[in-house]
Amino acid sequence: MKILQLIVVIIAIFQHAQAVADDEFILSDSGLEDELLFQDIPSVYGASKYEQKVTKAPASVSIVTADEIQKYGYRTFAEILSSLKGFYTTNDRNYGFAGVRGFGLPSDYNTRLLLLIDGHRFNDNIYDAFDITAGFPVDIDIIERVEVVRGPASSIYGTNAFFGVINVITRRGRDQGGANVTASYGSFDTYKTRVSYGDRYDNGLEMFLSGTFYDSHGNRRLYYREFDDPATNNGIASNNDEERARNLMGTISFGNFTLQALHNKRNKHIPTASFGTVFNQKPSKTADQSTYVELKYANTFSNQLNLESRVSYNHYRYDGRYNFDYSEDEEPFIVTNKDFSLGQWWRGEVQATKLLWNDHKVTAGGEFQHNFDQRQKNYDLEVYTDIDKKTSRWGIFIQDEYSFNDKLTINAGVRLDYFNTFGETVNPRGGIIYNPWSDTAIKLLYGTAFRAPTQFEMFYHDGGITTLPNPNLTPEKLQTAELILEKYFTSRVRGELNFFYSEIKDLISITSTTDGLLQNNNIGEAESIGAEVQLEANYTNGFQGRISYSVQETTNKMTNERLTNSPAHMIKLNLIAPLWADKIFAGLETQYMSSRKSPVGGKVSDHVITNLTLFNQNWINGLELSAGLYNLFDESFFHPGSEEHTQVGILQNGRTFRIRASIDF
């Protein structure tokens, strides 16, 4: 049935693509070359810390635009990432996690990806984490563009830039040009309302303000066969999946200065009885909130020197309430264990970019982060953990993009980082980018990266109830080699083929001890070898489409076994089709993922998910309407659990819907 669904969708896509292609003007070879020289090839900032064409970037880059977000009906950042080649996501019904190229260890809190919000480093100073569900810091409806840069980038960003860098570029005042109200309603009594205002004034002042309220009752009935017993409601978790989130964001720019502030808070009930908590009784829950205020200065001087600096205050707070049964007989004795983390830090960055001798584009910079508050506490009837740390780190880097001629470019850089917890580390990156023709790029890349162990991984424990600390953790180290072939077959059709090999040493993962407790450990070495191929089309009449296939073999080198939560194959199909001029569009995507191992034994099966959205614009000036069906064929599928779960797999939602309306004033 899964393969049949896939075949039907593939046939539909290619039939429509052929019909559109037949209507397109076909360029001659010489005409194509001329057009490619002048067409607007997308630019990316996150690959090198300055704007450059994606064909010159030393990485495989994906860009998702605001238009795609609306027409595909994406509801969360996880859905955006899931649509991209090589990426996949996992949801344990508390947090969302991103995997890439076969690396997606359950409950790693996304520490191996660096998240930037308009260039601001967002990962916190306790878990080095971010959420990709309703807890994502930015309402996805105010995202103008998402840049996803694959591969190691510690040579310019330091820790967390392990498997990739994600730069989220938000809406500006000029993009809004007034007020906007957006509201949506969906399955499980899910409501979201956003109010935004933005403009750019004649005196040069530009501002954008936005606030979002999100509330969902969640899935009212979730079945877990591991708890199928009369004493635990026959495995049914009832009304334990509630979620609520708030987002506030403001950006004010004047001249060369930009002040940006962000605050988000999210509360989530946990229906899975993780960490051995009671099942289907008083719900355990988590609450996360993040805040930052950043002042940025950016200026390009008359001598073409570009100078950019940032200074920011950052705050993160986590509160967990986990309900355990401490009884030693049949009479329940429910105790709420309280888990608390508080992180505060300030951060400063400066960098300069200058074109030297007409063929060297040199970027150099440095940053310093002082973590003046890193608290973790766990207690109920007694205090198990009470940690208060203060740490600091700094890094300096230099990078050179050297163009021999129009066809050959070399990009090389190196960075030195120092942590007062474990010392220094040096990470280089280099790439050769060859353009034999104007429509073709060949990239040969090599880079290393590191991920520092987090405060949570090293020091957290709860007195031996479920977890133990490990202050002897060492940083993870990564090296990757990659070959990328990019080709424009016509001015509207582009193909990309990637081959990559990655090796990780001192991989950190949560494991079970001989006493059945959980502890983070450097579990040894892992490697991944794979390939990705993608064909994408973007026609002037509104048709867009892409198809990608990813294959990867990701194994533990000590045991030669595949890592947990690591799919061998992924196929993704995306199509935006105009149904009526520029007014009604259909957004269709289908994703196939092969089976994945679970860390608690067994595996979850392969699955095919199809989503369909109808999007309307331009009927009434400023009004947008959309309606989406997700998991269209009501596929029953699971994501792997993690070490803190009893379940082999965590059941995901069946068919759901959302309707949405947005109006500008």
Side-chain angles (χ1 to χ4, degrees):
M1 183 62 182
K2 297 182 180 71
I3 300 300
L4 179 59
Q5 293 175 18
L6 205 56
I7 292 174
V8 169
V9 174
I10 290 174
I11 292 174
I13 287 176
F14 279 99
Q15 284 181 337
H16 189 92
Q18 183 63 48
V20 174
D22 290 343
D23 294 337
E24 286 287 316
F25 176 69
I26 306 299
L27 294 170
S28 66
D29 289 342
S30 59
L32 170 61
E33 183 170 339
D34 291 337
E35 181 169 333
L36 284 171
L37 291 175
F38 298 101
Q39 73 171 336
D40 186 20
I41 297 174
S43 296
V44 60
Y45 173 89
S48 300
K49 283 196 169 184
Y50 56 78
E51 292 287 341
Q52 61 186 160
K53 298 298 184 182
V54 294
T55 51
K56 293 293 186 180
S60 172
V61 177
S62 291
I63 295 176
V64 181
T65 65
D67 183 70
E68 291 174 293
I69 291 172
Q70 301 307 322
K71 290 176 180 175
Y72 283 120
Y74 295 136
R75 299 167 296 179
T76 66
F77 198 74
E79 293 178 343
I80 295 176
L81 290 182
S82 293
S83 71
L84 303 177
K85 67 181 175 70
F87 275 82
Y88 59 102
T89 61
T90 305
N91 191 315
D92 68 358
R93 293 203 170 271
N94 188 17
Y95 296 108
F97 313 100
V100 57
R101 291 179 170 176
F103 286 98
L105 298 179
S107 297
D108 72 351
Y109 300 110
N110 301 316
T111 60
R112 298 177 183 90
L113 290 169
L114 175 62
L115 175 63
L116 307 175
I117 306 296
D118 292 321
H120 171 89
R121 171 186 279 268
F122 184 81
N123 300 55
D124 67 75
N125 73 342
I126 302 291
Y127 307 94
D128 273 342
F130 60 92
D131 183 38
I132 56 174
T133 60
F136 191 72
V138 176
D139 185 335
I140 65 169
D141 285 337
I142 65 170
I143 294 175
E144 278 297 305
R145 186 177 64 182
V146 178
E147 301 174 347
V148 177
V149 181
R150 298 170 182 81
S154 287
S155 63
I156 54 175
Y157 288 107
T159 187
N160 301 116
F162 204 70
F163 293 133
V165 176
I166 301 170
N167 187 26
V168 175
I169 299 167
T170 64
R171 189 173 300 176
R172 301 168 299 177
R174 73 191 74 174
D175 302 318
Q176 183 64 62
N180 173 270
V181 176
T182 299
S184 65
Y185 175 76
S187 300
F188 313 128
D189 282 336
T190 299
Y191 299 86
K192 190 173 87 165
T193 303
R194 176 179 56 84
V195 178
S196 301
Y197 174 80
D199 213 341
R200 182 168 60 175
Y201 305 99
D202 293 339
N203 62 0
L205 178 69
E206 185 170 13
M207 66 181 297
F208 178 78
L209 303 171
S210 182
T212 302
F213 169 88
Y214 171 90
D215 186 85
S216 177
H217 193 285
N219 199 317
R220 298 174 185 270
R221 188 182 186 278
L222 291 163
Y223 171 72
Y224 301 107
R225 61 183 178 85
E226 291 85 355
F227 293 94
D228 195 346
D229 186 276
T232 50
N233 198 34
N234 298 311
I236 298 172
S238 301
N239 301 314
N240 281 339
D241 196 33
E242 182 179 329
E243 186 172 28
R244 179 174 294 182
R246 310 285 184 271
N247 296 82
L248 295 172
M249 187 173 188
T251 305
I252 300 176
S253 300
F254 186 77
N256 299 320
F257 292 92
T258 300
L259 179 66
Q260 185 174 84
L262 179 148
H263 174 78
N264 78 293
K265 183 176 181 179
R266 182 228 191 191
N267 296 271
K268 181 67 175 68
H269 287 185
I270 309 171
T272 57
S274 55
F275 298 103
T277 53
V278 296
F279 182 82
N280 195 49
Q281 296 187 36
K282 181 180 180 182
S284 297
K285 55 188 176 181
T286 56
D288 298 83
Q289 66 178 42
S290 300
T291 305
Y292 73 76
V293 180
E294 179 188 80
L295 180 63
K296 172 186 172 182
Y297 170 82
N299 187 31
T300 300
F301 297 93
S302 57
N303 62 356
Q304 299 304 303
L305 171 68
N306 179 269
L307 182 64
E308 184 176 305
S309 62
R310 303 168 183 263
V311 61
S312 63
Y313 163 78
N314 308 265
H315 175 279
Y316 171 76
R317 180 186 175 109
Y318 157 80
D319 287 280
R321 298 292 184 265
Y322 297 92
N323 300 306
F324 293 90
D325 186 354
Y326 285 178
S327 65
E328 298 181 358
D329 51 35
E330 295 183 1
E331 189 68 26
F333 178 40
I334 307 301
V335 175
T336 299
N337 178 268
K338 299 178 181 178
D339 210 25
F340 170 79
S341 297
L342 176 64
Q344 296 186 85
W345 65 102
W346 69 266
R347 180 178 182 83
E349 300 179 44
V350 62
Q351 72 175 57
T353 301
K354 181 76 166 67
L355 183 65
L356 302 176
W357 308 296
N358 295 322
D359 49 19
H360 287 268
K361 192 167 190 176
V362 178
T363 302
E367 60 186 58
F368 178 80
Q369 180 170 318
H370 177 51
N371 303 303
F372 60 88
D373 202 349
Q374 291 176 299
R375 278 183 271 174
Q376 299 181 78
K377 190 171 183 178
N378 183 277
Y379 61 99
D380 47 40
L381 302 179
E382 57 182 293
V383 176
Y384 306 112
T385 304
D386 195 355
I387 302 168
D388 192 358
K389 298 285 185 179
K390 292 179 176 64
T391 63
S392 62
R393 69 193 199 206
W394 55 263
I396 54 174
F397 74 93
I398 186 169
Q399 177 180 259
D400 182 18
E401 182 185 280
Y402 175 36
S403 298
F404 286 92
N405 48 49
D406 292 339
K407 295 183 181 296
L408 183 61
T409 301
I410 292 180
N411 189 298
V414 64
R415 173 171 166 138
L416 167 67
D417 282 273
Y418 177 82
F419 286 67
N420 69 349
T421 52
F422 66 83
E424 65 185 37
T425 177
V426 177
N427 290 273
R429 180 178 72 172
I432 300 173
I433 302 171
Y434 179 56
N435 301 101
W437 306 281
S438 61
D439 59 359
T440 305
I442 303 172
K443 303 178 182 180
L444 182 61
L445 311 173
Y446 172 81
T448 70
F450 78 101
R451 184 182 77 85
T454 69
Q455 292 291 302
F456 171 73
E457 289 169 331
M458 289 190 293
F459 300 112
Y460 181 83
H461 66 91
D462 58 4
I465 297 176
T466 61
T467 59
L468 295 173
N470 188 355
N472 298 317
L473 288 173
T474 58
E476 297 178 343
K477 299 178 179 65
L478 169 76
Q479 59 177 347
T480 294
E482 184 169 2
L483 174 65
I484 303 173
L485 308 176
E486 299 176 358
K487 170 72 174 178
Y488 283 88
F489 296 101
T490 73
S491 63
R492 301 294 178 183
V493 180
R494 175 182 177 271
E496 182 177 337
L497 175 62
N498 302 1
F499 299 96
F500 61 86
Y501 173 80
S502 297
E503 183 179 58
I504 301 178
K505 295 182 178 180
D506 299 320
L507 182 66
I508 299 173
S509 180
I510 192 167
T511 58
S512 295
T513 67
T514 55
D515 297 327
L517 302 178
L518 302 178
Q519 185 183 50
N520 285 287
N521 284 284
N522 296 101
I523 64 172
E525 299 183 9
E527 66 177 1
S528 179
I529 184 169
E532 301 164 344
V533 60
Q534 178 170 285
L535 185 66
E536 57 184 320
N538 190 344
Y539 292 101
T540 55
N541 65 355
F543 170 84
Q544 300 178 48
R546 66 176 182 266
I547 178 171
S548 69
Y549 169 65
S550 304
V551 57
Q552 53 267 320
E553 182 72 23
T554 308
T555 57
N556 184 325
K557 293 183 69 175
M558 303 281 292
T559 64
N560 204 32
E561 294 181 351
R562 178 175 292 276
L563 292 185
T564 59
N565 193 29
S566 177
H569 306 278
M570 291 184 289
I571 303 174
K572 301 183 179 183
L573 303 163
N574 290 72
L575 170 68
I576 295 174
L579 302 181
W580 182 15
D582 63 341
K583 292 182 171 58
I584 300 179
F585 296 83
L588 175 71
E589 61 177 354
T590 294
Q591 301 171 6
Y592 167 79
M593 184 182 296
S594 60
S595 61
R596 293 170 284 169
K597 287 178 58 179
S598 173
V600 296
K603 65 179 182 180
V604 298
S605 299
D606 61 340
H607 62 265
V608 174
I609 301 299
T610 300
N611 304 321
L612 175 64
T613 295
L614 294 178
F615 176 80
N616 166 251
Q617 62 183 12
N618 296 330
W619 267 356
I620 300 176
N621 188 34
L623 177 66
E624 295 178 351
L625 301 172
S626 66
L629 285 174
Y630 306 87
N631 193 359
L632 181 64
F633 299 107
D634 202 22
E635 176 94 348
S636 179
F637 71 106
F638 297 79
H639 288 170
S642 56
E643 293 285 353
E644 64 259 29
H645 295 104
T646 303
Q647 298 92 328
V648 172
I650 307 298
L651 179 66
Q652 302 301 299
N653 291 329
R655 185 188 300 113
T656 58
F657 76 92
R658 184 190 70 163
I659 55 175
R660 175 183 175 275
S662 176
I663 186 166
D664 294 324
F665 296 94

